[in-house]
Amino acid sequence: MPSIICETQTAFIGGRNIIDRVFIANEVADDWKKAKRQGLIIKLDFEKAFDSVNKEFLFSMLSSFGFGSKWISWMKAWLNILLTRAINIGILKGVLVGANKLILSHFQFDDDSILFCEANLDQVVIIKRILRCFEVLSGLPLGANPGRKSTWKPVLDNLSLFRMPEGVARNFEKIEAAFLWGGIELKRNVHLVKWLKVTKSVPQGSLGIRRIRDVNTCLLLKWVWKDITFIRVQSRNIFNYFLDNCLIKVGDCRKIKFWHDKWCGVTSLKDVFPSLFTLSSVKSGSLYFFYATKTSFNNWNFLDIRALYAWELAVKVRLLALLFSAPTLSLECVDSLLAWAAAVAGSSIFSMSSLYSFSTSLLGPSLSMCKFIWNHTLLPKIHFFGWLA
């Protein structure tokens, strides 16, 4: 499959993720801003992709890949081949990204594509011609329908990618609260219960409406789990709970912080050996950095800011004894999160719901009387009145 599906396609292959394209597009825009350059990002939606495509065009493209007639009846091809060909012959230049000047022209997910080019009229004309060729050959119209749920999916994706500003979170809550209490912008109704109480879970005696800030935090931590790239979050309680339940698998040691992360046991080294952490001149150094400064197998160099006293040397001996049996560097794989300690029985996979449930548990205990209020035997408005009372 990797030899058939191009690397510009961000799905269908293990290790690829639909949200990766959003990260990449954001990095391109950020690179342009820093370099004070202009560029274009073009998003394409293929309407009714699997109903409208010209079948003869599809078969001819598959034949170009070398598939036989049987495979041609099973497989499908992409706009990708036209763009890749244009790049190869030099008429489409794409954009140069990062210090290594990587050429990026496009990537895709299913029937969506994102194209990149410099702010150059000639390049825009080339892209327009390529799209016109594709449209004529395939019989596939291009466009997005704002009435479809999928059109608005990027809005939900962004909620999981970026830390939500406090002002945006407040606006979300105002909309939710206005809907709950029947108010409108011109005439506000009285809010009979504080919003924090409204967002408690049903067993805690409330409605269980999700707190947008905590949802945003939990979604951000999903990406920490995926890539061990620690994102600044708003809730320290949730973040600390997340760290307490992450079990790290040591790889090339470049993402793991020697003192801060729990890579050697269930507690960070800075918490087990606070005096040595205070004396270290490289408090945020990676595990790889400390591996590189070793002078022998178990002779670690902690780069202390001064010579150690006798009692501190005794503490250092304890640390070295712990490191003697610690996981070793493995250059063939990257650091990753091995297991989620708070997962449900029989699983070790991180789930946003378990993290959010923890944040809800901080709001108070469960109440036994709630099961009598929400017993599903009466009309919803009567249940709601009983809860309100």
Side-chain angles (χ1 to χ4, degrees), residues 301-367:
N301 183 2
F302 303 120
L303 300 175
D304 303 315
I305 58 177
R306 61 166 173 78
L308 302 184
Y309 299 126
W311 70 270
E312 292 169 337
L313 288 172
V315 176
K316 181 178 180 180
V317 170
R318 287 172 41 218
L319 174 55
L320 292 174
L322 178 63
L323 295 175
F324 182 78
S325 58
T328 57
L329 179 147
S330 180
L331 290 175
E332 65 273 11
C333 60
V334 297
D335 303 323
S336 61
L337 292 174
L338 181 62
W340 174 243
V344 296
S347 173
S348 61
I349 304 300
F350 168 78
S351 68
M352 194 198 103
S353 60
S354 63
L355 199 58
Y356 186 83
S357 295
F358 164 76
S359 71
T360 300
S361 70
L362 299 176
L363 301 180
S366 297
L367 306 175

Side-chain angles (χ1 to χ4, degrees), residues 161-175:
L161 285 172
F162 306 108
R163 188 172 67 86
M164 179 179 291
E166 180 63 24
V168 175
R170 282 198 299 268
N171 286 339
F172 264 106
E173 290 179 348
K174 286 180 181 178
I175 294 171

Side-chain angles (χ1 to χ4, degrees), residues 102-114:
L102 174 70
I103 298 178
L104 179 64
S105 61
H106 65 288
F107 52 83
Q108 303 166 290
F109 174 77
D110 197 10
D111 57 355
D112 292 335
S113 296
I114 296 181

Side-chain angles (χ1 to χ4, degrees), residues 28 31-32 37 93-98 100-104 118:
V28 171
D31 190 61
W32 280 338
R37 291 159 51 203
K93 302 185 184 304
V95 297
L96 299 178
V97 182
N100 297 327
K101 301 301 180 183
L102 174 70
I103 298 178
L104 179 64
E118 302 290 349

Side-chain angles (χ1 to χ4, degrees), residues 63-75:
S63 180
S64 299
F65 278 116
F67 290 102
S69 58
K70 189 172 184 179
W71 275 99
I72 287 177
S73 67
W74 296 343
M75 296 292 186

